[in-house]
Amino acid sequence: MTKWVYAFGDGKADGDASMRNLLGGKGANLAEMSSIGLPVPPGFTVTTEVCTYFYANGHKYPSDLKAQVDAAVEHMGKIMGAKLGDPKNPLLVSVRSGARVSMPGMMDTVLNLGLNPETVEGVIKLTNNPRFAWDSYRRFVQMYSNVVLGLEHHDFEEIIEAAKEAKGVELDTELDADDLKALTVKFKALVQKKLGKPFPDTVEDQLWGGIGAVFSSWMCQRAQTYRRLNKIPGDWGTAVNVQAMVFGNRGETSATGVAFTRDPATGENYLYGEYLINAQGEDVVAGIRTPQPITKLVRERQGGKLPSMQEAMPKMYDELFAIGQKLEHHFKEVQDVEFTIQEGKLWMLQCRAGKRTAKAALKIAVDLVNEGLINKETAVQRVDPSALDQLLHPTLDPKAPKTKYTTGLAASPGAAIGEAVFTADEAEKLANDGHDVILVRVETSPEDIHGMHAAKGIVTARGGMTSHAAVVARGMGRPCVAGCGNLRVDYDKKQMTVGDKVIKQGEVITIDGSAGVVYVGRVSMQNPELTGDFNTLMEWADSIRKLKVYTNADTPTDAKTARSFGAQGIGLCRTEHMFFEGDRIVSVRQMILAETVEEREKALAHLLPMQRGDFEEIFRVMDGLPVIIRLLDPPLHEFLPHKDVEYEAVAKQAGISIEKLKAKSATLHEFNPMLGHRGIRLGVTYPEITAMQARAVIEAAVNVENEGIKVDAEIMIPIVAWKQELDLAADIIKKVAEDVKKEKGKLPNFKIGTMIELPRAALQAGKLAETAQFFSFGTNDLTQTTCGISRDDAGPFLTDYQVKGLLMRDPFVSIDRDGVGELMAIAAERGKKTRPEIEIGICGEHGGDPNSIELCAQIGLNYVSCSPFRVPVARLAAAQAALKKFERDV
Amino acid sequence: MTKWVYAFGDGKADGDASMRNLLGGKGANLAEMSSIGLPVPPGFTVTTEVCTYFYANGHKYPSDLKAQVDAAVEHMGKIMGAKLGDPKNPLLVSVRSGARVSMPGMMDTVLNLGLNPETVEGVIKLTNNPRFAWDSYRRFVQMYSNVVLGLEHHDFEEIIEAAKEAKGVELDTELDADDLKALTVKFKALVQKKLGKPFPDTVEDQLWGGIGAVFSSWMCQRAQTYRRLNKIPGDWGTAVNVQAMVFGNRGETSATGVAFTRDPATGENYLYGEYLINAQGEDVVAGIRTPQPITKLVRERQGGKLPSMQEAMPKMYDELFAIGQKLEHHFKEVQDVEFTIQEGKLWMLQCRAGKRTAKAALKIAVDLVNEGLINKETAVQRVDPSALDQLLHPTLDPKAPKTKYTTGLAASPGAAIGEAVFTADEAEKLANDGHDVILVRVETSPEDIHGMHAAKGIVTARGGMTSHAAVVARGMGRPCVAGCGNLRVDYDKKQMTVGDKVIKQGEVITIDGSAGVVYVGRVSMQNPELTGDFNTLMEWADSIRKLKVYTNADTPTDAKTARSFGAQGIGLCRTEHMFFEGDRIVSVRQMILAETVEEREKALAHLLPMQRGDFEEIFRVMDGLPVIIRLLDPPLHEFLPHKDVEYEAVAKQAGISIEKLKAKSATLHEFNPMLGHRGIRLGVTYPEITAMQARAVIEAAVNVENEGIKVDAEIMIPIVAWKQELDLAADIIKKVAEDVKKEKGKLPNFKIGTMIELPRAALQAGKLAETAQFFSFGTNDLTQTTCGISRDDAGPFLTDYQVKGLLMRDPFVSIDRDGVGELMAIAAERGKKTRPEIEIGICGEHGGDPNSIELCAQIGLNYVSCSPFRVPVARLAAAQAALKKFERDV
């Protein structure tokens, strides 16, 4: 005989916390609490297997279910000394759903089930409280009609409002027993009218109606959508929990409340929560009465006048505290509990792991280790890496008043306040004059770098999570809200508009890059505070993780920041960002506009010492750690002016006519620059560019080694699709190295590797590894090409995908495992087959995303590289990945 | 003992034609000719294995090679009754390279080897012809110094020129024996001066010098480049052929010539070739004397005065004719032979399969079957499918005078003459007035379709083989030269410029789309002539091939053309091309500019009957054959105006303000439209577009079926990356089908399938096949995404790749097998695993490329789809693929 029903209560239970799949989260924890002797109102759980059976058999129950439920109900009654439907001594129960994971959209709760015209009289006699009895009854009819019978909540509220109006009162509490009785009658009449059949008075019908409603809600539209979005299998099913009612509204010795065993905001170790005397859970939610703190300390801190539970009900408090301690020791985790005190007796209604802020998570994880409750491995798994962003950046004061202006993507975390400016030049100018500015652009380009640097934060109207603005802002640690779809920027008028709300240059705005919101005016901020706990947890993470964590850094400043956050190398040093600094752009443009190899080499010769100097500085900062330098990546037109007004100045600088400049610009124009003349393709056409860059790297390495500093220089070739391209670049670099050796008498250690950022490169990894000493996955471009989506254009339509539930995650935020992930796995496997010692890493924006880092660990990469401010996130995520057992292949 | 040397001559041979790998092409055929009793001057072949040994052993020969060569030389001498180096009766030999396949860049030929100051005297005595002897000697020194010793050819020519000047003559033939003797001495002095050592007089040194030079030339730069470009393995090696010299310049009974056993231009069955009495092969090349036809018939046709070989040397002609017959019967193929007649004796120097025009290939293949020499399968393999283009389109008269204007890509075959015009509107206007016009554009867009249709041919300055102009031109059968890099088009001045050569509107140009050339003025043309042979061969091909051949056709006209060429269905019907016809674009724009779903549906309702009508016509033409209709593919901004001047008209048409139109246009702008909001992504955002198109297809199918015509309608979803997208589209289509069934009481048979044009779709094919009933590889986009190359931007840099030998084939012309091909194989395998009966085809431009068709056969596709004019090419290529045994996997 299959056991369909698991009872709990009276210090015993058929199930336990490990049976979450069978009993659901709530049922398993109720069983566990009961079996460790906590005061849990008795009850039973109908298993998820019944749900599965229900759907597999045309909405029928197993034939032996009824007998098991009847037995469990009787058992409950015995413990409570009452009986379901007994007019003299009626048992009242709650019915709740309970899936493996908490799931919005499903039936929640029916309370007070078991009341009917006969039992309500029994309750009146037992409690000597007609108002309590009728209030319970009308609440039951209202809830049951709504969640089980499917009637509209507001239809019942209207009846209540009408009753109050008729009586001339304002509050529900002003209605007396007779009023509530009359309401109950009216409610039942409404049901008869709407459904054409009466409200069920038989308690057995009520109970099976409740159970059926829970199972039916498993397949309702909202629940299905939620499951699709969260990849929860439909065959998991839900359990049903039936539990004896206890009442916190039975007088001044009754109460109800919720509590965390530690402060979920700070992690401090005291009972944190709220309670209300003589109330039911609903009343706390309704907000008519203000709940009071549980702990005296908290009341005092908040300056509250009304007594805390610790003060008002010290015995109950002590009992609750002891239970909290017991639960924490039992579950080895902070608990979030619900409780009810009925006439001086404490009942525990629910427990679960408590949600907490990043700061609290950090403190709790470290404290629990220090208290000997958990080990370091467990502590490392207890902190959500993504939440660390909260600790590393300023945040808006959650309590501060705010006026939202527009929303966009949370492109780079942190908050910033400043005057809106609309050009990079003005941003720089105002910043130099001591103003805090926020740079607002339709989109940014490499020409805006100086303005982005000068600004406190960046806002764009276009672009996605890996748009230029987003990538650069994250790299610089500037907050950024990108792709605000309804924002219109008018450069001529120096203003921006959302709807009809205009903000002109100089007006102050506040941006929250962690939430993707722009606010009007100044919103007060909280600065980040990094505690010792942070470093402790990071050390533990470092001792566990196998993936190394590198950083994407283009400047010595970035490199220093990243090292302070624990970066073990530079996984991506983008040389083209250096091309915009100071007046280098003049030489860059001369190089582009050159008509002959000789002219081009002349311009390159100007750039050589500057690039060499950049690399020298970075090598010094990194002091022997790997520095992976990517050769020129973007198409050349990115370095030419885009606007008419700029042509004249640039033509003059470059010493050519405006017509010629425009003609060249037109020739270089591309329809799809992402798939254009860039990366090594430039090296094929202009090998002298590759040669100059290789020379800058190798000479810099020699020079810095001559200072006695170790150098680990690695030259990376971008946009490789064919082995022939890589070979061509490698030949150029080796030739340069030979020349440098002749000139300097010394050759530094250096490696040559390739980006894997095109599907063809992934498939050809076996051949590429014949030449490449390392691979770095450029997952931005690999995602663009594998999925055929331009990251700069995807914003508008990917939003539709998420709204319609087609995509759970933005593939530019978290690696698309089935597509991009498979190509990465293929490439890693083929690369290692050819060259077992090959170093493989990732330098796309995904390198800082915990979910993607897990994938990287799974397919055996050696390192991840991310922007400096993401390094701690990556260190923690890498440790978690190392602790995870991968059950299935990619 | 390894056999390194294979002798031939005197009706015997050690080798035969099957030993091409060991003896090279030339050596194997010489052996074969000898062993079937043809008069071949005796000689021997040093095998390719010696070449391999040579490079594997530090440029040393096998120790037993010398003995084998000595024996072979002696054997040769015996047959010829002469001896190498014998002053009285010297044997003279030629030394030639001979790889498996003919390979430019390698050492070609040394003639007359064996001459030195002593043997030259012997020749004088034997021939009684001092001039012949000294001319042979100076030619030998000159050739040997150049090809074996590596001196410059022109150094020797200068000495000859000086001698002629000193003597006051103009022609080499005016130099007498003494002059030639003096030249020989000067040549040898030059060698001494340049190399610091004397010219070898020892015949053995000469022979080994020649052999060594052949082997060394195998690794010269040009040969290596050629091998890399043609994927010829370096370890194949070359053979060396040493053969006794015979002389066609020994008087009036001597002659030399070349002949084809059938006319290589027409395929007619007579000896076709040229000969010269008393001459050596060099003289034919030098062009001082005009060679005469071999056959009387040809002489008469050409109106020649001098006698043909058939008339002048009837006995020799008969002998040559008989040998030709024997060779054709032996090799079962037309032969291209070289022969020499020495004092009345005919010698065969070489035979190989004869190159021929497409027309000749067709006639010869059919004739050889009719003559019983070959079977149909062989005949089908004898015609190059790509060459059929010559037969289907007009071509330029090869003899006509031409002035080249510019070159570009041979984007669509055929030739055309017309006045240059620079806008589609003017093209249409002038064409309506009876002018022949060539439309010249920087690039074309869908808005130019009417002008392209009106034009005789199309020229663009930008874009590759799969640019809009190229694709549309091929579809329409219009010749097109695309991407003329140095062409500047000035729309304002209505003119184009190359360098400083201006062509204004109205000036006549001629274009050759098969060669990718634009000519100034009018060049005379030849019209295509399709013979019965064409249909015969096509029928044979159809009986052999397994791949079906569909066509890409958007209009009933295209569909009719394709059916006349044998198309078995429509593999790609692009609905968006229909959007530009007539005033439909107005409704399309209203749809795009709609602000609400209702407005959009209103505009779509206008389009519905038009699209339905289009489909009805196409279904009627295809009469039950499959018609695969692709839903809207391009991003919406392609339908909006691009130029300021157009905004006003369009805004007026659409009934909105210019500002709003511009704002909408700006909102829709994309950085990389190829990876943008297109294909099913539009259907996700605007499901009503998908619904309208589905309704047009399904209603059309019902209507045409009601006329008693069969319909096989297949709806194809473009740009699918996720199964969820396909499911969403399928749900919309099925919903529409249910509605149509309710309204019309009938549901036609229709299928739903997907394009596989993104790497992710290829990898996810197993899942996609759960929904898709057919797959169609969109290899244009799959190539763009797999290789990360925009086809519209690739022109300039892919040219660099080909020039530098990095890429053998343009991946947009011939499928990249290692990248795109692997993804196709993965997709086909995974798709079939899920749904074994799934129909898989290809509808990218590659569907008409023989090399790509071979791949399609190899991975087991069901059909290829190509533009109408490529259908015959595809039919033949498919038959050849079916006959090919695939030795290796993709």
Side-chain angles (χ1 to χ4, degrees), chain A residues 443 671-672 674-675 681 684-685 724-725 760 786-788 790 793 800-801 804 806 816 822 830, chain B residues 443 671-672 674-675 681 684-685 724-725 760 786-788 790 793 800-801 804 806 816 822 830:
Chain A
E443 66 234 356
F671 297 103
N672 296 290
M674 196 269 131
L675 307 175
R681 296 166 193 171
V684 171
T685 307
Q724 299 91 292
E725 300 170 316
R760 194 180 196 285
T786 303
C787 302
S790 161
D793 301 311
D800 292 330
Y801 276 61
K804 300 198 178 184
L806 297 185
D816 156 47
E822 177 170 6
R830 294 183 181 179
Chain B
E443 67 233 355
F671 297 103
N672 297 291
M674 195 269 132
L675 307 174
R681 296 167 193 169
V684 171
T685 307
Q724 299 91 292
E725 300 170 315
R760 193 178 198 285
T786 303
C787 302
S790 161
D793 302 311
D800 291 330
Y801 277 60
K804 299 198 179 186
L806 297 185
D816 157 48
E822 178 172 4
R830 293 182 182 180

Side-chain angles (χ1 to χ4, degrees), chain B residues 542-615:
Chain B
D542 291 347
S543 70
I544 291 164
R545 68 188 162 91
K546 297 192 183 71
L547 276 171
K548 284 179 281 186
V549 176
Y550 291 3
T551 192
N552 302 347
D554 309 337
T555 65
T557 312
D558 288 352
K560 272 180 211 151
T561 307
R563 283 203 68 181
S564 77
F565 283 130
Q568 298 165 285
I570 293 181
L572 176 63
C573 177
R574 284 164 289 226
T575 53
E576 59 272 16
H577 285 185
M578 303 173 178
F579 278 18
F580 283 97
E581 268 184 37
D583 53 0
R584 294 177 184 191
I585 188 68
V586 177
S587 298
V588 172
R589 285 170 176 163
Q590 279 166 345
M591 169 192 91
I592 295 168
L593 299 166
E595 302 252 323
T596 64
V597 175
E598 290 68 33
E599 274 179 52
R600 198 171 305 110
E601 283 178 339
K602 204 174 139 197
L604 286 166
H606 277 112
L607 288 170
L608 173 64
M610 306 183 201
Q611 284 239 307
R612 187 177 55 217
D614 291 334
F615 297 140

Side-chain angles (χ1 to χ4, degrees), chain B residues 716-755:
Chain B
M716 181 159 71
I717 318 299
I719 307 291
V720 167
W722 280 270
K723 177 170 185 285
Q724 299 91 292
E725 300 170 315
L726 180 60
D727 288 347
L728 177 134
D731 288 347
I732 294 171
I733 296 166
K734 286 175 190 163
K735 168 79 172 53
V736 166
E738 276 171 35
D739 292 347
V740 171
K741 192 180 174 187
K742 274 179 210 151
E743 294 155 19
K744 303 232 169 194
K746 182 175 173 179
L747 193 61
N749 244 338
F750 72 94
K751 286 185 189 158
I752 298 173
T754 184
M755 299 279 289

Side-chain angles (χ1 to χ4, degrees), chain A residues 235-404:
Chain A
D235 59 7
W236 275 10
T238 181
V240 181
N241 297 295
V242 179
Q243 193 175 18
M245 287 294 303
V246 287
F247 297 92
N249 54 348
R250 294 267 282 261
E252 293 306 307
T253 57
S254 296
T256 191
V258 294
F260 287 81
T261 54
R262 306 198 182 207
D263 190 324
T266 65
E268 286 171 284
N269 190 357
Y270 46 70
L271 273 183
Y272 180 93
E274 296 173 324
Y275 86 114
L276 261 179
I277 288 178
N278 195 14
Q280 271 196 311
E282 281 182 290
D283 304 323
V284 180
V285 178
I288 294 162
R289 292 163 59 196
T290 307
Q292 296 306 312
I294 300 231
T295 310
K296 187 183 169 200
L297 173 73
V298 175
R299 180 188 66 75
E300 287 169 355
R301 280 194 190 165
Q302 294 176 348
K305 300 292 178 219
L306 295 173
S308 66
M309 178 170 160
Q310 193 174 10
E311 293 156 303
M313 297 174 130
K315 192 171 148 284
M316 289 293 101
Y317 169 83
D318 289 346
E319 202 176 322
L320 182 64
F321 183 80
I323 286 172
Q325 293 290 306
K326 190 166 183 178
L327 280 171
E328 265 199 3
H329 278 77
H330 186 73
F331 285 107
K332 302 182 189 309
E333 175 57 303
V334 171
Q335 295 297 306
D336 164 5
V337 301
E338 290 178 20
F339 62 90
T340 284
I341 299 166
Q342 178 174 317
E343 294 171 337
K345 171 148 178 60
L346 176 65
W347 295 97
M348 301 305 295
L349 301 182
Q350 175 161 302
C351 77
R352 58 185 175 190
K355 286 199 169 33
R356 65 210 76 171
T357 64
K359 187 178 165 188
L362 215 53
K363 178 167 169 54
I364 290 167
V366 173
D367 285 352
L368 291 183
V369 172
N370 291 338
E371 291 165 24
L373 275 182
I374 59 174
N375 60 17
K376 293 170 184 177
E377 285 73 17
T378 306
V380 159
Q381 287 168 292
R382 287 279 172 83
V383 180
D384 175 6
S386 306
L388 290 185
D389 265 343
Q390 288 178 32
L391 302 176
L392 299 168
H393 298 279
T395 48
L396 293 184
D397 181 350
K399 291 171 198 145
K402 304 175 187 73
T403 309
K404 190 180 284 189

Side-chain angles (χ1 to χ4, degrees), chain B residues 147-362:
Chain B
V147 302
V148 177
L149 303 179
L151 301 187
E152 297 285 344
H153 182 70
H154 66 82
D155 285 342
F156 295 89
E157 287 300 321
E158 280 166 17
I159 294 174
I160 297 174
E161 287 308 308
K164 286 192 286 188
E165 209 171 306
K167 194 173 180 180
V169 300
E170 284 192 3
L171 299 177
D172 290 10
T173 44
E174 294 174 280
L175 297 175
D176 64 17
D178 286 341
D179 298 329
L180 294 165
K181 184 176 177 179
L183 277 183
T184 309
V185 173
K186 283 187 182 152
F187 285 177
K188 291 173 79 175
L190 178 69
V191 171
Q192 172 73 46
K193 187 181 156 203
K194 289 268 181 186
L195 300 181
K197 57 183 182 181
F199 184 89
D201 280 343
T202 316
V203 293
E204 196 162 312
D205 290 351
Q206 292 174 358
L207 179 62
W208 287 100
I211 292 172
V214 171
F215 287 140
S216 298
S217 72
W218 177 252
M219 283 295 172
C220 77
Q221 202 55 50
R222 271 179 64 204
Q224 288 196 47
T225 303
Y226 183 86
R227 283 200 295 274
R228 192 174 63 232
L229 287 177
N230 291 278
K231 298 202 174 168
I232 297 171
D235 59 7
W236 276 8
T238 181
V240 181
N241 297 295
V242 178
Q243 193 175 19
M245 288 293 303
V246 289
F247 296 93
N249 54 348
R250 294 268 280 262
E252 295 305 306
T253 56
S254 296
T256 191
V258 294
F260 287 81
T261 53
R262 306 197 183 209
D263 189 322
T266 65
E268 286 171 284
N269 190 0
Y270 46 70
L271 273 184
Y272 180 93
E274 297 174 323
Y275 86 114
L276 262 180
I277 288 178
N278 195 14
Q280 270 196 308
E282 281 183 288
D283 302 324
V284 180
V285 180
I288 294 162
R289 291 162 60 196
T290 307
Q292 297 305 314
I294 302 246
T295 311
K296 188 182 167 201
L297 174 73
V298 175
R299 180 189 66 75
E300 286 170 354
R301 280 195 192 165
Q302 294 176 349
K305 299 295 178 216
L306 294 174
S308 66
M309 178 171 162
Q310 193 174 6
E311 292 156 301
M313 297 176 130
K315 195 173 148 279
M316 290 292 101
Y317 170 82
D318 289 346
E319 202 177 322
L320 182 64
F321 182 80
I323 286 173
Q325 293 290 307
K326 190 167 184 178
L327 280 171
E328 265 200 2
H329 278 77
H330 185 73
F331 285 109
K332 300 180 190 310
E333 173 59 302
V334 171
Q335 295 297 306
D336 164 4
V337 300
E338 289 180 18
F339 63 91
T340 284
I341 298 166
Q342 178 173 318
E343 293 172 338
K345 173 153 177 59
L346 176 66
W347 294 97
M348 301 304 296
L349 301 182
Q350 176 163 299
C351 76
R352 58 186 175 190
K355 287 200 170 30
R356 67 208 78 172
T357 64
K359 187 179 164 188
L362 214 53

Side-chain angles (χ1 to χ4, degrees), chain B residues 4-5 44 46-47 50-51 54 59-73 84 93-95 107 110 113-114 140 144 147-149 200 202-216 240 242:
Chain B
W4 304 112
V5 172
F44 60 88
V46 183
T47 68
V50 175
C51 186
F54 180 76
H59 295 215
K60 289 206 171 56
Y61 296 117
S63 56
D64 47 352
L65 176 66
K66 186 167 182 307
Q68 295 188 28
V69 168
D70 287 348
V73 169
L84 197 67
V93 301
S94 64
V95 178
M107 199 203 90
V110 176
L113 189 145
F140 164 60
Y144 192 95
V147 302
V148 177
L149 303 179
T202 316
V203 293
E204 196 162 312
D205 290 351
Q206 292 174 358
L207 179 62
W208 287 100
I211 292 172
V214 171
F215 287 140
S216 298
V240 181
V242 178

